[in-house]
Amino acid sequence: VNISHDAGRVSASLPTGETVDILLYGATVISWKDRAGNEKLWLSEAAKLDGSKAIRGGIPIVFPVFGQAPDHAATSKLPQHGFARTSRWELLGKSTSESAGMSDSSVKLDFGLSSASLSDDVKALWPYTFSIIYSVTLSQEGLATSIVITNDGEEAFESQVLLHTYLRIEDITTVSVTGLEGSAYIDKVDGAKLKSQSSTISITQETDRVYTPSTDPSQPVVITSNGEQVFSVVRDGLRDVVVWNPWTDKAMSMPDFEPKDGYKNMLCVEAGSVRDWTKLEPGEAFEGGQTISY
Ligand code: BG6
């Protein structure tokens, strides 16, 4: 297992060829490749990688608010999707497991963010004392990302968290998402109406939905292309699944979304806990994660 770490980026590769790249800015995974070198994540060609804006693509971390929450007093002042994706994280540690036959090597990279390292501006918007450990594990089976959020302060706080994963796909018109049949969802492009998913999902227009499946989170959400599985997402402790594709007009409206027809090659399937608020009392922790395989 090979790991390199420079000022702003951590990269790891397995002896069999799989690779992952993570920016300390936002602890954003910006690339994940299989052993043949095929990129599994979508990253905008106009994504700002210099720390001036949240990364358009990869896996940004949404915390402590999903979207904006004007009605939730404690988080109402925060920017869209919170500050985790625009804060600089630190690399806490790396661990590898090697095997003689190479067949089950893996690498786990741990990143940390805490209230102590936030800028005063951000602290003023959200004054709670917390620490987060975010772990990215690359193996031949796939990529696992998990998060532990701890309340280190004397005051309870409520938060939301989401792993905003941009999956790279070949052609959106051939894609179906299964595993969410029967789930209730909030349709953000139709006045936040509460609906129920009757069958497999196909994407034929701007899609922005927050699903809360009643099934166990370990039941995979499967993305197929022409009927063949291209990704499977298994959640751990994360109740909700956001399905997002900006389609034509929304892609046009985002300056950092390039190419403009890139919406054909991506689908966000985002594991999170965002429909409700998770309350952490002093000393309590919340744990959640996802494993993406193909
Ligand atoms: C999704 C939201 O998770 O993120 C969408 O459901 C939003 O409503 C999208 O448009 C992208 O957000 P942003 O802030 O990265 O442009």
Side-chain angles (χ1 to χ4, degrees), residues 253-266:
S253 76
M254 289 184 281
D256 63 348
F257 194 101
E258 287 287 352
K260 287 302 168 203
D261 65 357
Y263 71 89
K264 294 176 183 164
N265 303 114
M266 53 74 68

Side-chain angles (χ1 to χ4, degrees), residues 53-56 60 62 66-67 80-81 85 162 164 166 188 206-210 242-244 250 254 256 268 270:
K53 191 182 187 307
I55 312 293
R56 178 66 62 202
V62 169
F66 170 61
Q80 157 109 341
H81 292 338
R85 64 177 182 165
L162 178 88
H164 198 306
Y166 289 74
K188 290 175 69 178
E206 183 184 350
T207 303
D208 192 357
R209 302 174 179 175
V210 182
V242 177
V243 176
W244 180 62
K250 182 92 201 245
M254 289 184 281
D256 63 348
C268 286
E270 315 163 22

Side-chain angles (χ1 to χ4, degrees), residues 12-82:
S13 59
L14 300 183
T16 39
E18 294 85 352
T19 62
V20 68
D21 290 283
I22 300 126
L23 293 184
L24 293 182
Y25 180 72
T28 313
V29 178
I30 52 163
S31 169
W32 165 38
K33 290 183 183 159
D34 67 15
R35 63 176 62 186
N38 298 312
E39 180 60 60
K40 311 306 274 179
L41 299 175
W42 185 85
L43 177 68
S44 166
E45 288 169 9
K48 293 264 182 288
L49 303 181
D50 62 356
S52 60
K53 191 182 187 307
I55 312 293
R56 178 66 62 202
I59 315 183
I61 301 169
V62 169
F63 174 86
V65 61
F66 170 61
Q68 282 185 304
D71 301 335
H72 187 261
T75 44
S76 59
K77 292 189 223 123
L78 288 173
Q80 157 109 341
H81 292 338

